Amino acid sequence: MAGQLAGKSHGRGKRRGYRAMAEINMTPFIDVMLVLLIVFMVAAPMLTVGVPVDLPKTNAAPLEQQKDPLFVTVQTDGRVFVQETPVELGNMVPLLIAVTNNNPEARILVRGDAKIAYGKMLEVMGTMSAAGFKKVGLVAEMPNGPTASSARVGAPKPAR
């Protein structure tokens, strides 16, 4: 015979047959799953855009937003400054209301000397909080490194 069928032997040779492979190659399956995972991770934020709305046009001026926060400074001797203006604690709230145009959402950052009494800082911050100012924060310096001379939140560098 000129050709034999694969898997069949006639005569002398050992019987050779093809057996089904019992193992599944997992590598292509894992590759496909990882690609699908990445595709869904990238696509998911794009699906939650919200309801499309055609907004009306207007000629009104944009609302003013306070770009720089106000700084209230408390020195070691207890003196209080709003920006660079010295002020008594009793007169601080009316001045803050005037400067912020009665905006309780204005950002106010309190800079206190490291040696100041804890009670004085609480008194100043409590006065602002009682007046209705909601965004009152503290400013601190980095403990070491090249940025240690400048304040953490963007306060002006101290004079040398």
Side-chain angles (χ1 to χ4, degrees), residues 6 11 32 52 57 65 70 73 77 79-80 83 103 109 116 127 138 143 151 157:
V32 168
K57 309 285 187 260
Q65 293 184 355
L70 285 173
T73 306
D77 58 359
R79 291 188 298 163
V80 179
Q83 298 292 71
N103 180 11
L109 298 178
I116 193 167
T127 303
L138 292 172
K157 290 185 179 181

Side-chain angles (χ1 to χ4, degrees), residues 2 8 16 22 43 49 51 55 58 60 75 83-85 87 89 91 103-104 114 117 119 131 134 141 144 152-153:
K8 294 193 178 192
R16 294 181 190 166
V49 174
V51 178
L55 295 174
T58 182
Q75 290 187 332
Q83 298 292 71
E84 289 85 26
T85 307
V87 65
L89 191 59
N91 298 331
N103 180 11
K134 298 176 183 174
E141 288 186 358
N144 56 12
R152 171 100 174 117
V153 183

